[in-house]
Amino acid sequence: MKPSDASSSSCDMAIEVLDAAGARAAIPELCDVLIECVDGGASVSFMAPLSRDKAAAFWEGVADGVARGERVLIVARAEVIVGTVQMVPAPQENQPHRADIAKLLVRDHARGRGVAASLMAAAETAARTAGRTLLVLDTASGEAGERVYARLGWTAVGKVPGYALFPDGRPCDTTFFYKNLRARDAVDAPDQSIDLTRTAAP
C-alpha cells in the first residue's frame, strides 16, 4: 500500500485515501477504531455496546459507497489505523458545491498528536478536488470535537438540544458547523493542503 506524502513525525503517521478494495481490507482495523470510540462515549450514531458484526456492517456499507463514488474514505495510519474521516459530496443536484464531513474518529492513544487536524486537512483537500467548497458537519456539543472544529476555522451556526443520544442513552445536544473553502482560499496564503494519493489494498 502506497501512503500519501502527508505524514506526522510526532507519531510516524501517514494519511491515506482508500479505494473500495483498500476500504474492505481495512475493515478489521476500522472496526477497532469505531468500537473504541463508541465505548469511550462518542456520539457517532451507535449505542453501546457496539458489536463487531454491526461495526463491520457499517464499514462494509462505507466501502460500497466508496465503490459507487459516493464518498471518500480517509485514514491515518501509524503502523495500524489510528483515525479516519469521510468526505461525502451532497447528492442533491441543486447542491453541487456542498459536502458533508462525517465520522471523524481517532483512537485514544493517538489523540493530542495532530491526527484529527491532519485528517480534516485531508478531507478539505478531497473536497476541493471534487469541486466541493461548502462543507458542513455536526458534533456533540461541549465535547472535544467542538473545540477541534472551532480551532480549525469552522463556524458554528447553532445548537439543537437533545438532537441525539450518547452511547449510554443520555441526551446529546448537537452543534452544527460549516466551512466555506472558497472564502478561506481568498484570504489565506498559498494553499498548504495535503497532497493525497488514493491507495488500494496490497
Side-chain angles (χ1 to χ4, degrees):
M1 182 176 290
K2 180 182 177 183
S4 73
D5 294 335
S7 65
S8 170
S9 59
S10 64
C11 59
D12 193 23
M13 179 183 67
I15 300 296
E16 305 172 10
V17 176
L18 302 183
D19 64 10
R24 292 190 175 96
I27 284 176
E29 292 181 28
L30 289 168
C31 286
D32 292 339
V33 176
L34 180 58
I35 291 171
E36 182 175 294
C37 289
V38 172
D39 285 348
S43 178
V44 288
S45 304
F46 297 97
M47 304 301 289
L50 174 60
S51 72
R52 197 163 190 88
D53 286 346
K54 183 177 285 189
F58 168 75
W59 290 115
E60 286 164 3
V62 170
D64 290 344
V66 170
R68 292 191 296 267
E70 296 172 351
R71 63 186 60 229
V72 175
L73 175 62
I74 303 165
V75 300
R77 192 183 296 275
E79 295 186 357
V80 297
I81 293 173
V82 296
T84 182
V85 72
Q86 298 170 49
M87 191 281 292
V88 187
Q92 297 87 348
E93 65 179 24
N94 69 336
Q95 299 175 41
H97 58 298
R98 189 181 70 76
D100 295 322
I101 302 301
K103 294 293 184 293
L104 175 64
L105 306 169
V106 178
R107 298 198 68 169
D108 285 345
H109 72 272
R111 294 177 184 175
R113 302 182 184 180
V115 176
S118 294
L119 286 167
M120 290 298 289
E124 290 184 21
T125 297
R128 285 188 178 93
T129 300
R132 306 293 172 137
T133 56
L134 179 63
L135 307 182
V136 296
L137 60 81
D138 63 80
T139 190
S141 303
E143 298 294 306
E146 188 173 22
R147 297 187 291 276
V148 168
Y149 300 130
R151 188 169 65 246
L152 295 177
W154 287 69
T155 300
V157 295
K159 179 169 69 175
V160 180
Y163 184 82
L165 298 176
F166 284 108
D168 62 5
R170 290 177 295 120
C172 173
D173 298 346
T174 298
T175 301
F176 289 79
F177 285 84
Y178 79 92
K179 192 171 191 179
N180 188 329
L181 299 183
R182 185 171 296 169
R184 294 287 297 183
D185 290 344
V187 299
D188 285 348
D191 191 4
Q192 300 298 314
S193 300
I194 294 173
D195 180 19
L196 296 173
T197 301
R198 184 173 293 275
T199 62

